[in-house]
Amino acid sequence: MPRSTLTREQIITAAITLLDAEGLEGLSMRALGQRLGSAATAVYWHVGSKDNLIALAGDQLWHEIALPDPDEAGWRAAATIMAGDLYAMLTRHPWLLQAFGSLPMFGPGKARHDDHLLAVYEAAGFTGPTADQAAAAVFTFVLGNALGPAATASLTRKLRREGSSAEQAIDNAQAEAREIAAQFPRLRARLDTHSADYGAAPDHTFEIGLQAILDGLQALQPGPTR
């Protein structure tokens, strides 16, 4: 595709698809150009650099998160929807968590999300720094819960790049981990449960933890309780 017919939006969309499939390590301007039927130089012309492209792609993902009106839905319902959407977005695009640790990742999409998130906690009665603290408490909880699926996706891609059978390598590592865990009574009792899987947690851990945090915030600051 010639430079003149490419658009930045097309490049970002293709980059997200490639990043979802291959992670940060699998993104190159040459591979992206091949997907678009264009030369790598044409891609560079539109986005400037690989790092800038990752930042643009990452910022686009924040538009996947709904921004419910806390006055209509109630602050707690709005907070629950936003946290759930954030968790779902991060597990759909696990490379974004990795990008947080290597690149500055702030643009209009994330700013739109963050501004609305503060509005939700202000609707709960929090003001100034306390609204920031409430938003950050929930935000970091979501990030922490998304790390397990992101780690699993990253490890699977790494093993496949190395020519290994990802499933077999993980099974071997799990078998070794089970031998170690069997030496400890509480871990031994959980060996046959889902929480023993690599990067996994018991069912409904996210939902229970989120509601516990919102319970705590509601107790800290009087406000609407819908």
Side-chain angles (χ1 to χ4, degrees):
M1 187 180 296
R3 176 191 300 177
S4 59
T5 60
L6 269 181
T7 67
R8 175 178 282 198
E9 290 73 22
Q10 288 173 324
I11 294 170
I12 291 171
T13 298
I16 291 171
T17 301
L18 181 57
L19 285 161
D20 288 348
E22 303 295 339
L24 291 182
E25 299 83 359
L27 176 67
S28 71
M29 294 305 202
R30 177 178 295 179
L32 187 58
Q34 289 174 346
R35 280 180 172 250
L36 291 164
S38 181
T41 52
V43 178
Y44 276 113
W45 188 83
H46 283 279
V47 298
S49 69
K50 179 179 172 181
D51 284 354
N52 191 51
L53 174 57
I54 294 170
L56 289 168
D59 197 59
Q60 180 64 34
L61 300 182
W62 293 92
H63 292 279
E64 296 180 8
I65 299 172
L67 305 181
D69 185 344
D71 293 330
E72 294 182 2
W75 78 268
R76 185 160 176 156
T80 300
I81 291 168
M82 291 188 70
D85 278 7
L86 174 60
Y87 178 75
M89 183 269 278
L90 291 171
T91 54
R92 280 195 303 271
H93 312 288
W95 56 271
L96 185 59
L97 280 171
Q98 185 181 356
F100 284 156
S102 56
L103 295 170
M105 298 290 289
F106 189 81
K110 188 173 187 301
R112 167 182 170 270
H113 166 274
D114 292 354
D115 187 76
H116 193 82
L117 191 64
L118 289 172
V120 168
Y121 291 102
E122 287 173 356
F126 294 96
T127 58
T130 62
D132 296 336
Q133 291 166 344
V138 175
F139 185 78
T140 54
F141 168 79
V142 177
L143 293 186
N145 274 265
L147 283 175
T152 300
S154 179
L155 177 60
T156 300
R157 287 194 303 266
K158 177 178 181 293
L159 293 171
R160 285 175 178 161
R161 280 196 304 272
E162 293 173 351
S164 307
S165 165
E167 292 77 12
Q168 186 60 52
I170 291 174
D171 286 347
N172 292 342
Q174 283 288 94
E176 184 176 343
R178 288 174 69 90
E179 291 181 7
I180 296 170
Q183 303 172 43
F184 300 88
R186 293 170 186 82
L187 297 181
R188 185 169 60 248
R190 289 163 172 77
L191 283 178
D192 294 323
T193 68
H194 175 64
S195 57
D197 295 340
Y198 182 82
D203 292 341
H204 307 300
T205 294
F206 174 77
E207 294 82 0
I208 291 170
L210 175 60
Q211 293 311 312
I213 291 176
L214 295 178
D215 285 344
L217 291 174
Q218 189 166 310
L220 283 173
Q221 183 69 36
T225 57
R226 288 184 294 146

